[in-house]
Amino acid sequence: ERLVESGGALVQPGGSLRLSCAASGFTFSLYAMAWFRRAPERELLAAISANGDTTYYADSVKGRFTISRDNGLNTLYLQMDNLEEQDTGLYFCAKSGGPMYSLAHYSYDNWGQGTQVTVSS
């Protein structure tokens, strides 16, 4: 099982970024997925069920970030708009143990290496 994030960059406040997480080695469509940020504490930002019908957002990103997935491409996305300096951090995607997401980090059994997002003027 492998998760590889991409799309992190340096961006100005108010800008946008789209992160991607390419999954391989497992049946992507059977598992809920999530995005976490470490800055420096680990925070669950958004999660999506296996079929994409149900999503969760932390209050800190609600209305600005959108999680989505393409099960045909085995890819998870995080669209980030109206970025703020406090959004700076290392962003990870993670695979849940089943089709529905959990808010507990220990429910996620596979993690990517992360992609750095820096929001600064």
Side-chain angles (χ1 to χ4, degrees):
E1 296 184 356
R2 190 173 184 216
L3 299 172
V4 180
E5 302 92 340
S6 62
L10 170 64
V11 63
Q12 292 187 340
S16 296
L17 281 177
R18 188 194 198 200
L19 305 184
S20 299
C21 170
S24 60
F26 63 98
T27 306
F28 181 71
S29 61
L30 296 182
Y31 297 95
M33 299 291 295
W35 286 99
F36 287 79
R37 176 173 65 206
R38 190 173 73 209
E41 298 298 322
R42 179 169 45 190
E43 177 187 9
L44 171 63
L45 300 178
I48 187 167
S49 59
N51 62 9
D53 286 352
T54 308
T55 56
Y56 162 84
Y57 295 96
D59 287 343
S60 59
V61 304
K62 197 174 295 182
R64 300 187 299 119
F65 289 13
T66 304
I67 189 171
S68 62
R69 64 190 297 161
D70 187 328
N71 285 346
L73 295 179
N74 294 341
T75 303
L76 177 73
Y77 302 100
L78 185 67
Q79 177 66 41
M80 306 187 295
D81 298 317
N82 194 19
L83 283 160
E84 303 168 353
E85 290 191 352
Q86 51 262 43
D87 293 319
T88 294
L90 191 61
Y91 285 66
F92 299 86
C93 62
K95 167 185 166 286
S96 180
M100 189 56 190
Y101 55 78
S102 167
L103 302 189
H105 68 85
Y106 53 77
S107 297
Y108 294 85
D109 58 10
N110 194 9
W111 299 74
Q113 294 298 305
T115 185
Q116 178 68 33
V117 172
T118 302
V119 184
S120 176
S121 55

